[in-house]
Amino acid sequence: MTVWDDLVGQTRVQEQLAAAAKDADALVTAVSDGKPLDQGSKMTHAWLFTGPPGSGRSTAARAFAAALQCTSPDRALGGVPGCGFCDGCHTSLIGTHADVQIIRTDLLSIGVKETRDLVRRAQLSPAVGRWQVIVMEDADRLTEGAGNVLLKAVEEPAPRTVWMLCAPSLEDVLPTIRSRCRHLTLSTPPVEAVADVLIRRDGVDPERAHSAARATQGHIGRARRLATDERARARRAAVLKVPLRVADVGGCLKAAQELIDTATDDAKQMAEEVDVKETEDLKAALGGVAGGRMPRGTAGAMKELEDKQKRRKTRTQRDSLDLALTELTGFYRDVLALQLGSRIAIANVDVHDSLDRIAESSTPAQTLRRIESVIACRDAMDRNVAPLLAVEAMTMALRAG
């Protein structure tokens, strides 16, 4: 199993990254032997991976990072780096390699302070590996100030440092940064390819795997969760009942409140799993005694952790709501396909009766307006409108059609 096996439906991107990894290996060897560098190398110091959610942007970046650190002896025989078995590949993929830094945030943004720490790390030479690799999975969450800090590092990189930035689209990254990166675009993987991965790697029942892949329209992460998590299936079933529950004002308001309550419960569950342990670990690190008062001078650190946990809870709630809105968009997309007699595959086959009912009782123009109302709700939450107000406005618009 090579490091590229998890790249689902991205043959072109895999070929480009494999060629770059091979050139990077030759580059390191040439420097070590004092030979001249190949000016036509496909390797560069900064990469930007873009693609729709679920396309595997971070998976591609991690696989490339592992290939750059590959120490397989087959490389000397002309093999492509990225065997998946050597220590360099294995530790890079599981996130324990000393020279591979994986940056992801469960907060709303990545600030200047965190970015400066990364830039300082990027100036270091590799400790044990062949390259110093920094993978930023949420480059679209960089604040403007953080982006300007990162720009300097990308403009003047250290000789053996590689930046890998992941974002949904080019427009989500500062123009000055993206102009200095090599751009790779990933596409939504085919449903069959996603189902095959769930069956082969996760041991999911074939029927459930195909159903999950089809329902999530090729989103790998959501498909895996839907296929393996009963709670996720129950939450999706509840969301897909919303179009049938907005016949009156009371139903609209109740459906909106339930969507908010579900998102709040998701955030609360994550807090229960993570926050308590984080708090106890920090108290122990600061010299606190169980059941006793904290030492002087530690209040600031505890307050900083509380603020971080609060921001993480906000993002978890918004992510949960965003997933529900994505599923609603998919529902009305299927309704529109039925109304127009389109030949595209229906994603939500398991609720075909509901799709038929809505399609027969409305017009394509109404369906389009409903899709627009869901998109408007997402935009409103991006502008920090109170979630309940945004969702209530959406459910009322769904009723009006």
Side-chain angles (χ1 to χ4, degrees):
M1 178 177 177
T2 70
V3 299
W4 313 109
D5 287 352
D6 285 345
L7 267 180
V8 182
Q10 310 293 345
T11 304
R12 181 183 58 82
V13 170
Q14 177 181 331
E15 291 173 350
Q16 290 178 284
L17 292 178
K22 194 167 184 177
D23 282 0
D25 186 60
L27 183 64
V28 173
T29 303
V31 171
S32 301
D33 297 342
K35 297 178 181 178
L37 302 182
D38 179 7
Q39 298 302 316
S41 174
K42 298 180 177 63
M43 182 58 187
T44 189
H45 70 282
W47 297 77
L48 176 58
F49 298 82
T50 65
S55 58
R57 301 184 301 260
S58 59
T59 300
R62 283 175 176 243
F64 188 32
L68 293 180
Q69 305 292 10
C70 183
T71 57
S72 169
D74 292 342
R75 296 175 297 108
L77 304 176
V80 177
C83 65
F85 296 102
C86 71
D87 184 66
C89 287
H90 178 68
T91 55
S92 296
L93 290 176
I94 66 174
T96 59
H97 196 290
D99 296 316
V100 177
Q101 182 82 355
I102 308 294
I103 308 302
R104 70 175 71 83
T105 182
D106 46 15
L107 306 179
L108 296 175
S109 62
I110 301 175
V112 172
K113 181 177 179 295
E114 302 97 303
T115 308
R116 282 179 177 157
D117 291 339
L118 284 178
V119 170
R120 280 194 291 268
R121 179 188 175 99
Q123 301 305 312
L124 302 175
S125 297
V128 295
R130 303 166 68 78
W131 297 86
Q132 178 78 254
V133 182
I134 300 177
V135 178
M136 185 172 287
E137 294 186 355
D138 300 295
D140 54 308
R141 295 186 182 272
L142 285 165
T143 63
E144 184 175 356
N148 291 329
V149 171
L150 178 62
L151 174 61
K152 189 67 174 176
V154 174
E155 279 183 325
E156 301 175 4
R160 297 271 287 277
T161 294
V162 181
W163 288 90
M164 301 183 191
L165 311 180
C166 305
S169 69
L170 282 174
E171 288 69 29
D172 292 310
V173 181
L174 286 176
T176 48
I177 291 179
R178 66 182 186 234
S179 65
R180 290 162 174 81
C181 298
R182 184 165 298 172
H183 180 215
L184 291 178
T185 303
L186 284 76
S187 58
T188 301
V191 168
E192 288 299 321
V194 174
D196 178 65
V197 168
L198 295 178
I199 296 168
R200 173 171 48 85
R201 188 179 58 190
D202 300 298
V204 176
D205 175 75
E207 183 177 350
R208 176 169 290 177
H210 283 88
S211 175
R214 185 171 54 248
T216 56
Q217 300 178 54
H219 190 299
I220 303 171
R222 285 172 49 208
R224 179 176 293 112
R225 184 181 178 191
L226 193 61
T228 58
D229 186 348
E230 180 62 38
R231 189 170 179 268
R233 292 193 290 273
R235 184 198 52 73
R236 173 178 172 272
V239 170
L240 295 183
K241 290 179 182 177
V242 168
L244 298 176
R245 299 177 57 198
V246 294
D248 53 54
V249 173
C252 292
L253 299 180
K254 186 176 180 180
Q257 185 63 61
E258 289 179 1
L259 287 176
I260 295 296
D261 290 344
T262 299
T264 303
D265 289 343
D266 283 346
K268 183 179 179 181
Q269 183 184 27
M270 173 173 279
E272 291 175 349
E273 294 173 354
V274 179
D275 289 3
V276 174
K277 185 178 185 304
E278 276 186 347
T279 302
E280 293 302 321
D281 287 347
L282 181 59
K283 285 182 177 180
L286 295 175
V289 179
R293 297 182 62 180
M294 292 295 295
R296 289 188 176 183
T298 60
M302 295 301 299
K303 181 65 167 59
E304 183 178 351
L305 177 61
E306 290 173 6
D307 291 342
K308 175 185 174 182
Q309 292 172 343
K310 184 177 180 180
R311 293 195 302 272
R312 181 169 60 205
K313 185 176 180 180
T314 300
R315 177 178 171 182
T316 303
Q317 183 186 40
R318 289 188 181 180
D319 286 349
S320 180
L321 273 175
D322 191 66
L323 177 57
L325 298 180
T326 299
E327 288 167 343
L328 276 177
T329 305
F331 180 94
Y332 285 113
R333 169 257 194 198
D334 286 346
V335 170
L336 187 62
L338 292 174
Q339 290 173 329
L340 297 178
S342 173
R343 295 182 180 180
I344 64 172
I346 299 300
N348 299 288
V349 177
D350 52 330
V351 291
H352 212 301
D353 290 344
S354 298
L355 295 173
D356 288 336
R357 182 175 168 183
I358 299 296
E360 291 169 2
S361 62
S362 61
T363 65
Q366 288 178 306
T367 303
L368 283 172
R369 286 196 292 270
R370 285 167 172 156
I371 292 174
E372 288 172 353
S373 71
V374 178
I375 296 172
C377 181
R378 298 178 73 176
D379 291 341
M381 289 195 294
D382 284 342
R383 297 193 301 271
N384 291 322
V385 173
L388 182 58
L389 290 178
V391 177
E392 284 179 345
M394 178 196 72
T395 54
M396 294 296 289
L398 294 179
R399 174 176 176 268

